[in-house]
Amino acid sequence: MPPENLKGETSRGEKLYEGKAKTLYKGPVPGTIIQYFKDDATAFNAQKKGTITGKGIINNKMTELVMKNLEHIGIPTHFLERLSDREQLVRKVEIVPLEVIVRNIVAGTMAKRLGIEEGTPLERPLIEFSLKDDSLGDPLIAEEHILSLDLADEAELAEIFDMTRQINDFLRGMFAGVGINLVDFKLEYGRLYDDDGEGYCLILADEFSPDNCRLWDMVTNEKLDKDRFRRDLGGEVDAYREVARRLGISLETAD
Ligand code: TYD
């Protein structure tokens, strides 16, 4: 079935993959992909399902802002251009099968696993890794697992640490500027191959949105991220919109 051509959206190619919050389509030229951001929300490895109305538009536009800002500080990313409210054109990469998690303040599974109170600041930012495998529930793994299982080599791991630290420094400042504490977040990297398929470089891929980070208001500690959905706190639409508003992201739609 050909993809629907909704008002304000481009004609997408063949569907390549349907994820929990995004669908990927073939892009208009080889080596490109269109990421389509849905309103679907899942938590606890998709055991909890729902929708957050308008989330796809916010996540698309926030990812655009973050990727463009990171390019400005010299971080290479897969982002090419935003095509419509819910679509962006990105470079096709081979995803490194790791969820790279950065923590500035203890929350979520780390608080539970180690019995530390949520909200405890960390002495220095922590970078940890999960294996990207939904069927296993994205288990936490050590650097030694990554090297022994050849999920990435030493040079790649060093680059991942270096880029991730720079990204954290920048994004903490960006969010602090609008009164938000960046508590933790998840990144994914990809290998961008040369045309001859010989060499490659590592670039930032996937997305950056309140779906995969924790954002707390600096004054009230109010949660402005997917924890509102995960923990049945309500007000998730308003929270996502508030983050967009503070970052100066226009939510006027093209439709
Ligand atoms: P974490 O506390 O490990 O898990 P949970 O959110 O299930 O309590 O997550 C740390 C941050 O990384 C959090 O902002 C959510 C994000 N994250 C993802 O977006 N996807 C993932 O698969 C994982 C493991 C974390």
Side-chain angles (χ1 to χ4, degrees):
M1 202 171 60
E4 53 188 341
N5 193 3
L6 297 173
K7 210 171 156 198
E9 292 177 3
T10 52
S11 183
R12 302 182 286 264
E14 177 197 340
K15 189 195 274 193
L16 299 173
Y17 171 79
E18 175 135 21
K20 287 174 280 192
K22 294 191 293 292
T23 306
L24 305 184
Y25 297 90
K26 240 184 197 170
V29 287
T32 65
I33 282 182
I34 293 174
Q35 295 200 116
Y36 179 93
F37 289 75
K38 302 189 283 184
D39 285 350
D40 298 347
T42 61
F44 313 118
N45 206 17
Q47 286 171 48
K48 180 180 162 96
K49 289 189 175 124
T51 42
I52 301 176
T53 308
K55 168 172 88 74
I57 299 173
I58 295 173
N59 289 1
N60 184 25
K61 292 184 175 182
M62 195 178 301
T63 297
E64 173 191 21
L65 176 79
V66 168
M67 295 290 177
K68 281 180 172 170
N69 283 347
L70 290 175
E71 290 273 359
H72 281 141
I73 63 155
I75 303 290
T77 81
H78 75 158
F79 181 82
L80 291 168
E81 70 176 302
R82 184 166 64 79
L83 301 173
S84 69
D85 286 342
R86 290 177 184 272
E87 297 166 312
Q88 57 180 243
L89 187 67
V90 301
R91 289 178 214 279
K92 185 176 179 191
V93 293
E94 174 191 276
I95 293 287
V96 179
L98 299 172
E99 315 251 352
V100 180
I101 295 163
V102 185
R103 300 179 188 274
N104 296 306
I105 297 172
V106 177
T109 52
M110 182 179 182
K112 267 202 214 104
R113 199 170 45 237
L114 301 181
I116 305 171
E117 197 184 344
E118 253 201 340
T120 307
L122 286 161
E123 202 56 51
R124 47 176 255 175
L126 172 67
I127 299 176
E128 60 183 37
F129 301 94
S130 290
L131 177 67
K132 193 172 149 60
D133 187 330
D134 282 340
S135 67
L136 298 173
D138 298 332
L140 188 70
I141 54 172
E143 279 172 67
E144 291 294 315
H145 287 92
I146 297 172
L147 298 173
S148 295
L149 297 170
D150 199 24
L151 302 171
D153 65 25
E154 272 190 58
E156 288 177 317
L157 211 45
E159 227 182 316
I160 287 174
F161 271 111
D162 183 42
M163 281 201 265
T164 302
R165 285 195 191 99
Q166 288 182 57
I167 293 168
N168 185 41
D169 286 348
F170 176 81
L171 292 180
R172 275 177 97 172
M174 187 184 96
F175 282 106
V178 296
I180 292 173
N181 266 322
L182 178 58
V183 174
D184 57 29
F185 58 95
K186 185 261 299 183
L187 301 175
E188 291 181 26
Y189 289 91
R191 300 181 180 106
L192 177 67
Y193 285 90
D194 301 341
D195 287 338
D196 57 14
E198 294 278 310
Y200 66 86
C201 62
L202 213 55
I203 67 176
L204 183 65
D206 195 44
E207 66 171 283
F208 188 96
S209 74
D211 271 9
N212 16 59
C213 65
R214 287 193 169 91
L215 302 170
W216 294 355
D217 182 275
M218 272 184 166
V219 176
T220 63
N221 267 341
E222 190 190 356
K223 297 184 198 314
L224 300 171
D225 54 63
K226 204 168 89 174
D227 268 349
R228 301 211 72 86
F229 170 77
R230 286 191 197 96
R231 301 180 186 190
D232 293 321
L233 300 174
E236 45 270 57
V237 174
D238 287 343
Y240 278 58
R241 291 179 75 92
E242 174 62 11
V243 177
R245 189 192 66 77
R246 291 197 200 182
L247 291 173
I249 294 170
S250 161
L251 297 181
E252 292 274 310
T253 63
D255 306 356

